[in-house]
Amino acid sequence: MSFDDQQVETFFRLQSNTRYDEVVNHCKKKQDVWVLQDDQGCLIIELGSEKVLPIWNDSSLAEQWKGKEYEGFSASVIAFADFSSKWLPGMVRDGFKLGIAPNLAGEGIVVATAEFARDIGVDLTTESH
């Protein structure tokens, strides 16, 4: 199911913590997540020394967010099984963080990958030390 324009607009008006909760609930239902990707790989945003992978709970949110700044990117789905078993452990190991459904102004919660995994009920057996 893809959000319509009104749903996208409404979602991006939500407070950051509400958008975070929406993505957590989406993932708890073992539903897929969306990232932006080009032929070089996934969009990673550098915030100071942090490397952040923005994720959304719907393709239309990712597509709307990219705007002109990231027009070479397109929404790409990550199956929840792969996200929880491969992506999350790899991101913890590599020290990446997650940007949870940033809004059109770029505001959103940046969270440690291990913390997000706990929030969605994924047990990461990989030690992050």
Side-chain angles (χ1 to χ4, degrees):
M1 174 191 100
S2 192
F3 285 23
D4 65 28
D5 289 345
Q6 182 64 43
Q7 290 170 310
V8 168
E9 190 176 314
T10 300
F11 182 85
F12 281 131
R13 281 198 194 126
L14 298 172
Q15 295 292 321
S16 294
N17 59 336
T18 304
R19 291 192 315 277
Y20 184 92
D21 291 344
E22 291 281 326
V23 174
V24 166
N25 290 332
H26 178 84
C27 289
K28 282 182 174 178
K29 296 176 192 166
K30 300 196 180 326
Q31 293 180 307
D32 302 338
V33 297
W34 295 84
V35 296
L36 288 172
Q37 190 170 358
D38 68 4
D39 57 0
Q40 305 293 309
C42 289
L43 174 66
I44 301 292
I45 297 176
E46 294 192 19
L47 299 174
S49 63
E50 297 178 335
K51 293 185 189 301
V52 179
L53 174 72
I55 64 169
W56 294 268
N57 52 326
D58 189 86
S59 63
S60 51
L61 297 172
E63 285 291 336
Q64 180 73 26
W65 184 85
K66 72 180 183 179
K68 295 199 183 318
E69 188 173 357
Y70 301 109
E71 65 185 18
F73 289 81
S74 58
S76 181
V77 68
I78 303 172
F80 182 80
D82 287 340
F83 184 67
S84 60
S85 68
K86 296 174 186 165
W87 285 68
L88 293 176
M91 291 180 67
V92 167
R93 183 182 60 246
D94 296 340
F96 285 80
K97 295 194 172 186
L98 291 165
I100 309 303
N103 67 14
L104 298 178
E107 300 162 338
I109 293 176
V110 174
V111 63
T113 303
E115 183 180 336
F116 185 75
R118 279 192 301 276
D119 287 351
I120 65 172
V122 171
D123 181 23
L124 295 178
T125 55
T126 309
E127 284 298 317
S128 58
H129 305 266

